[in-house]
Every structure is written in C-alpha cells, then in structure tokens.
Amino acid sequence: MVLLQMTGLSGAGKTTISGHVKEHLQQLDYKVELIDGDVFRRTLCKDLGFSKEDRCENIRRMGFVADLLTRNDIIVIIAAINPYDEIRQELKDNYGAKTIWVNCAIETLKQRDTKGLYRRAFLPENHPEKINNLTGVNDIFEIPQNADLVLDTGQESVAQSVQKVINFILQTV
Ligand code: ADP
C-alpha cells in the first residue's frame, strides 16, 4: 500500500491536509493511518532532540512503524517536518515512500504562526522565550530534490491542496 511522507516547515499545512485526506479516503473505504510528528515526539520519540542525527532518527522510527502498516493494506501518511534529503531518500529506498513537499513562503508562515513558534524564533538573542532550532528560520530545511508532488499552501486553498493529494494517492494505489 501507499506510504506518503509529507515534508515542509511548521505551519505549512501537513497536519491539516493529512487529516482531510484521511477522512476522505476512509469514506471511500480505504484504511488510512496518519503518523503525526508532534504525536511521535511526545511518545515513541520523546528521547530525541533536534540535532540532525535525532531528526533523522525520528523519521526513521516513523518509517519503521509506517512500513508495518502499509504491509497490511493501510495507506500511511507521515506528517513531520522531515528536513533532510538523506532520510527522505532512505524511506524511499527502504519502503518506497512517496514525497509530498508541502511548500509555503516563510512570510505567510510568519503571518499564520498557529503555534507561536515564528514569533519566538525571530526574538532577539538571549530573550528567554527565544527558539534557536526552528526549521526554515534558524535550522536547516533541505529543499526536496525528488518530490513526487509539490503543494504551495500559500497559494492554494486547503480544499485544493487536499484534492491534489487525493488524486495523487488514487493514481498510485
Ligand atoms: P503543519 O502540520 O505543517 O505544522 P498545520 O496543518 O498545523 O501545519 O497548520 C496549517 C495552517 O495553515 C492551518 O491553520 C490551515 O488552516 C492553514 N492553511 C491555509 N491554506 C492551507 C492549505 N492550502 N493547506 C493546508 N493548510 C492551509
């Protein structure tokens, strides 16, 4: 079955799109599971930090769990920032994962700032609330070199982005 790895900055729309896609496909009687980065960071990956090594290990564990599910006819969507090409490629090589780049301009993300992270990342150095490892601001995001589908959520509506992902999955299953 299909394994999708969404990749994109915080607030780009990975969780929102995945949730709608899941709902829609379940209505078509597909089995779908969402592997959410925030949930894994609170549970199976709570020992990991935000170094390159730990960010890759985070995705590696998600890929491992996802593979168990796809072997059982479940469509799996991994929704995590997933910033490094090396580990995206590893999931592609090991499990046939398709990459969906959920792209959005940083200016739009700063305006959305649903979790308040961008405000904190742009605070002056030494501010007590300052975040120093926000992907796309002061931590690396490698542009996906071989994305199978690219969304631009700064330009598209949620419904348009969701439809693009559904079309992609239905062409792939
Ligand atoms: P992420 O999971 O990537 O951190 P979220 O899904 O939590 O991002 O938040 C994305 C925010 O952007 C939501 O508030 C959503 O309503 C908004 N948004 C606007 N346009 C889109 C779009 N085309 N696709 C997804 N989200 C969008």
Side-chain angles (χ1 to χ4, degrees):
M1 256 304 174
V2 184
L3 169 54
L4 301 183
Q5 53 179 342
M6 301 262 178
T7 173
L9 303 185
S10 180
K14 303 176 296 294
T15 308
T16 303
I17 294 166
S18 304
H20 286 294
V21 168
K22 177 179 175 182
E23 213 170 281
H24 185 95
L25 291 175
Q26 283 176 331
Q27 281 166 11
L28 298 178
D29 277 342
Y30 287 101
K31 287 186 282 182
V32 188
E33 195 56 68
L34 174 55
I35 295 192
D36 184 272
D38 291 339
V39 174
F40 262 56
R41 282 223 172 252
R42 287 196 298 270
T43 55
L44 199 57
C45 299
K46 67 181 171 194
D47 55 316
L48 300 175
F50 294 90
S51 64
K52 177 176 182 183
E53 194 183 28
D54 279 10
R55 285 178 184 271
C56 287
E57 177 61 19
N58 184 41
I59 300 300
R60 190 172 288 119
R61 291 182 196 177
M62 292 185 176
F64 178 84
V65 174
D67 181 54
L68 299 178
L69 297 169
T70 54
R71 288 186 208 190
N72 287 282
D73 284 341
I74 300 171
I75 295 170
V76 182
I77 306 172
I78 296 176
I81 294 173
N82 199 349
Y84 293 104
D85 240 349
E86 178 185 322
I87 190 73
R88 294 189 289 243
Q89 185 66 38
E90 190 176 307
L91 264 60
K92 180 178 180 177
D93 294 342
N94 291 351
Y95 310 127
K98 307 285 185 191
T99 300
I100 300 187
W101 179 18
V102 185
N103 188 21
C104 187
I106 195 87
E107 289 309 317
T108 307
L109 295 175
K110 277 168 72 177
Q111 282 164 16
R112 281 184 193 164
D113 210 5
T114 43
K115 298 174 196 164
L117 298 175
Y118 290 93
R119 181 190 67 79
R120 293 179 58 194
F122 282 99
L123 287 169
E125 300 301 328
N126 301 325
H127 191 288
E129 288 178 42
K130 172 89 175 173
I131 300 177
N132 287 303
N133 54 9
L134 184 62
T135 303
V137 178
N138 43 24
D139 208 345
I140 296 167
F141 181 80
E142 293 178 355
I143 302 299
Q145 295 304 312
N146 297 305
D148 296 284
L149 179 67
V150 181
L151 310 174
D152 184 347
T153 69
Q155 302 295 322
E156 301 161 11
S157 67
V158 173
Q160 285 172 323
S161 300
V162 167
Q163 193 59 54
K164 283 169 77 170
V165 177
I166 290 169
N167 291 347
F168 177 81
I169 293 173
L170 294 180
Q171 279 163 19
T172 310
V173 288

